[in-house]
Amino acid sequence: MSELVLATRNAGKVREIREILSEYPEVGVVGLDAVGLAESPEEDALEAFATFQENALAKARYFAARTGRLTLADDSGICVDALDGAPGVHSRRFARRGDLRGPEQDAANNELLVELLRGREGAERAAHYVCAAALAWPDGREEIFVGTCDGVLLASPRGEGGFGYDPLFFLPDEGMTFGELPPARKNVVSHRGKAVRQAARKLENEG
Ligand code: IMP
């Protein structure tokens, strides 16, 4: 049995990662609150890199050092080719509304994305999510796993599920946005499901 510290303050990510890992009885999960780590301002400075992989590793290393325990961190975002890959690693702060958090911050980001894609059609609305899931062990070992998910950005939101950009992210094969898709189905096809399952299989194989 491996027990990992889930190193994220994002409620949507926590919900999804816990659900995905529940498929792996050999992998236990403990949250940052449960290990007594209250949020600290220095955490914000961790995501300073240009790639999801580097940011995920920085977060996993930081929390593994602070807890002395096996840690899983997620860095993720949405990339739009027609916007040169933006929002990309800046997905959370895309609208530069540092005064907002959670659903209010998500709504501001979505409004900006809708605005930037106004009048664009077809391939110009293509987007993909990326999730980098990093494992850091207290002995210094590290592993990184990446999952992606392709979709199309709608001109207006649909559905109340998921978080972040999900109500805009339409999956042609599913005929729904991530905001409309049942959560269990999102976890099967999502960038996070793909990355976190690779990490879980690695831990299972370690026994
Ligand atoms: P991070 O906390 O720096 O990794 O930023 C993640 C941001 O990317 C979130 O705040 C969302 O804006 C966006 N994001 C990542 N994954 C998802 C997802 O599964 N659904 C919707 N938005 C996501």
Side-chain angles (χ1 to χ4, degrees), residues 8 10 13 16 47 52 55 59 74-78 88-93 105-106 109 129-131 162-167 178 186 190-192:
T8 176
N10 178 314
K13 289 185 185 179
E16 290 183 5
E47 303 170 35
F52 295 107
N55 286 334
K59 289 190 263 191
D74 161 319
D75 198 69
S76 48
I78 194 164
V89 291
H90 306 294
S91 290
R92 182 159 69 91
R93 300 194 185 89
Q105 189 177 35
D106 291 345
N109 290 334
Y129 275 123
V130 180
C131 174
F163 65 99
Y165 300 91
D166 283 349
F178 263 166
K186 177 181 175 187
S190 78
H191 50 313
R192 183 161 298 105

Side-chain angles (χ1 to χ4, degrees), residues 106-163:
D106 291 345
N109 290 334
N110 286 352
E111 272 171 37
L112 176 59
L113 194 54
V114 165
E115 193 51 46
L116 292 174
L117 294 179
R118 199 177 296 284
R120 301 193 192 230
E121 285 176 26
E124 287 209 304
R125 305 196 73 90
H128 60 276
Y129 275 123
V130 180
C131 174
L135 285 172
W137 284 260
D139 63 7
R141 273 184 308 142
E142 297 170 340
E143 290 258 3
I144 182 112
F145 307 91
V146 178
T148 63
C149 181
D150 292 331
V152 171
L153 289 166
L154 300 183
S156 54
R158 276 174 42 179
E160 306 289 322
F163 65 99

Side-chain angles (χ1 to χ4, degrees), residues 1-4 20-29 70 199-207:
M1 169 92 181
S2 323
E3 189 173 72
L4 58 81
I20 296 160
L21 290 177
S22 70
E23 297 164 23
Y24 300 85
E26 290 302 307
V27 181
V29 183
L70 170 64
R201 281 196 290 267
K202 164 80 190 174
L203 295 174
E204 268 194 341
N205 291 337
E206 283 207 323

